[in-house]
């Protein structure tokens, strides 16, 4: 900030492979984030990429930390980091060194000694492998949660239907067949009761000589059968939905695991 208060801009002239360049950095408000290269302004954040490319230096990304396996992201050592290591006097080195991250110092030293590409490549492979393993662990954790929730839902339905416990897709399919069989049986009973009621109604209409006895048991059985049919239908739909959700979740998790592998 002391420099910005005394000067309007700073600049330098240099040659790269014989090509002349004039670099200017304005210190006025509104232009602090710009660097002019031969009069053409570029964002200050992109200057590092430009100068490294022009110099033919490797512009690589290194893990953000000393251990690539535990790093959360990759970061590029900038041209500024390298310049700091080559243009410092003893006093500024002492003040600057204890503020610099160790992984940045190692990356710059690797660049100056010309083995940055090999070292960065190994670190990136280790970083990507560790990240893939973390993603795989997350996918497997999701799979376990899906399986557990599916088992709980299917168990609750099978217990309410008094069916054997179903924990696999095959067992769910067998349970579904049993429910359908019960539903067919209830429907058959309903048809029989309906036929008997229609028969009784028809007889009472044709017999005008005397009153017809009302069978309350048939009415009660018909009502109970209707309730059982509705309950069985709802339970079949619920069980079918649970099975479909389980299969959809299983396909998603298996696809994630396959991609991670």
């Amino acid at each position: 900030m002391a420099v910005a208060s005394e000067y309007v801009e700073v600049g330098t002239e240099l040659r790269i492979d014989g090509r002349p360049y004039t670099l200017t950095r304005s210190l006025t408000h509104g232009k602090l984030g710009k660097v002019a290269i031969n009069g053409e302004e570029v964002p200050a954040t992109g200057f590092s990429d430009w100068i490294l490319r022009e110099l033919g230096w490797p512009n690589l990304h290194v893990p953000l930390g000393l251990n690539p396996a535990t790093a959360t992201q990759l970061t590029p050592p900038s041209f500024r980091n390298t310049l700091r290591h080559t243009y410092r006097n003893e006093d500024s080195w002492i003040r600057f060194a204890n503020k610099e991250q160790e992984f940045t110092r190692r990356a710059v030293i690797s660049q100056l000694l010309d083995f940055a590409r090999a070292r960065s490549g190994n670190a990136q492979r280790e970083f990507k492998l560790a990240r893939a393993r973390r993603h795989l662990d997350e996918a497997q954790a999701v799979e376990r949660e899906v399986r557990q929730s599916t088992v709980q839902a299917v168990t609750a339905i099978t217990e309410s239907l008094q069916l054997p416990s179903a924990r696999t897709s095959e067992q769910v399919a067998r349970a579904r067949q049993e429910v359908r069989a019960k539903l067919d049986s209830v429907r058959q009973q309903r048809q029989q009761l309906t036929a008997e009621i229609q028969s009784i109604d028809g007889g009472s209409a044709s017999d005008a000589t005397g009153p017809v006895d009302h069978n309350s048991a048939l009415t009660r059985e018909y009502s109970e059968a209707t309730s059982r049919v509705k309950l069985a239908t709802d339970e079949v739909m619920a069980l079918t939905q649970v099975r479909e959700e389980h299969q959809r979740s299983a396909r998603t998790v298996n696809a994630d695991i396959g991609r991670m592998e």
Side-chain angles (χ1 to χ4, degrees):
M1 296 303 295
V3 175
S5 63
E6 297 291 335
Y7 299 94
V8 176
E9 67 179 22
V10 294
T12 185
E13 294 182 355
L14 52 85
R15 287 180 176 271
I16 301 177
D17 290 337
R19 297 189 300 271
Y21 293 96
T22 300
L23 308 180
T24 306
R25 180 71 181 268
S26 175
L27 301 178
T28 59
H29 180 71
K31 291 189 175 183
L32 287 174
K34 300 286 187 178
V35 175
I37 304 173
N38 288 345
E40 182 180 353
E41 291 186 345
V42 298
T45 54
F47 174 76
S48 177
D49 293 340
W50 175 84
I51 190 67
L52 290 175
R53 182 173 62 253
E54 292 297 319
L55 293 172
W57 293 5
N59 187 9
L60 306 173
H61 289 66
V62 298
L64 186 63
L66 292 177
N67 187 355
T70 57
T72 57
Q73 66 184 67
L74 297 174
T75 183
S78 67
F79 175 75
R80 183 180 182 182
N81 296 132
T82 306
L83 186 63
R84 278 178 169 177
H85 279 257
T86 58
Y87 191 70
R88 286 278 171 172
N89 56 40
E90 181 180 358
D91 182 58
S92 62
W93 259 105
I94 296 173
R95 295 198 310 268
F96 144 77
N98 63 352
K99 299 178 182 179
E100 187 179 47
Q101 296 290 341
E102 178 64 23
F103 71 88
T104 302
R105 183 181 297 112
R106 294 183 181 183
V108 171
I109 293 173
S110 299
Q111 189 176 54
L112 294 174
L113 296 179
D114 198 25
F115 58 83
R117 295 185 187 277
R119 185 170 185 177
S120 176
N122 293 334
Q124 285 189 27
R125 283 190 291 271
E126 187 175 350
F127 167 80
K128 292 178 180 179
L129 177 60
R131 184 176 58 181
R133 286 174 175 170
R134 288 194 295 269
H135 289 171
L136 177 59
D137 292 340
E138 293 172 359
Q140 290 176 337
V142 171
E143 181 189 25
R144 288 192 295 269
E145 291 179 1
V146 170
R147 290 184 183 275
Q148 183 178 2
S149 61
T150 302
V151 168
Q152 292 175 351
V154 173
T155 300
I157 294 176
T158 52
E159 288 179 353
S160 66
L161 296 177
Q162 297 181 353
L163 295 173
S165 178
R167 296 182 179 274
T168 65
S169 299
E170 292 76 11
Q171 291 175 341
V172 171
R174 288 197 296 269
R176 184 180 181 185
Q177 291 177 354
E178 294 184 17
V179 172
R180 283 182 172 176
K182 288 187 177 182
L183 180 59
D184 292 339
S185 176
V186 171
R187 285 174 177 171
Q188 185 177 3
Q189 294 178 8
R190 179 180 179 181
Q191 291 175 355
Q192 291 177 353
L193 291 174
T194 302
E196 292 179 3
I197 292 174
Q198 290 176 350
S199 176
I200 293 173
D201 291 341
S204 60
S206 60
D207 187 6
T209 58
V212 177
D213 294 337
H214 177 67
N215 191 340
S216 60
L218 288 177
T219 302
R220 185 173 60 256
E221 291 179 359
Y222 177 75
S223 178
E224 292 176 354
T226 303
S227 299
R228 289 197 301 270
V229 168
K230 185 178 184 304
L231 178 62
T233 302
D234 294 341
E235 290 174 342
V236 167
M237 292 178 62
L239 187 59
T240 302
Q241 184 177 4
V242 168
R243 178 175 179 269
E244 292 175 352
E245 290 294 334
H246 174 269
Q247 292 177 337
R248 186 181 299 108
S249 300
R251 287 194 300 268
T252 301
V253 173
N254 289 333
D256 289 340
I257 291 176
R259 189 177 71 253
M260 290 301 102
E261 290 177 348

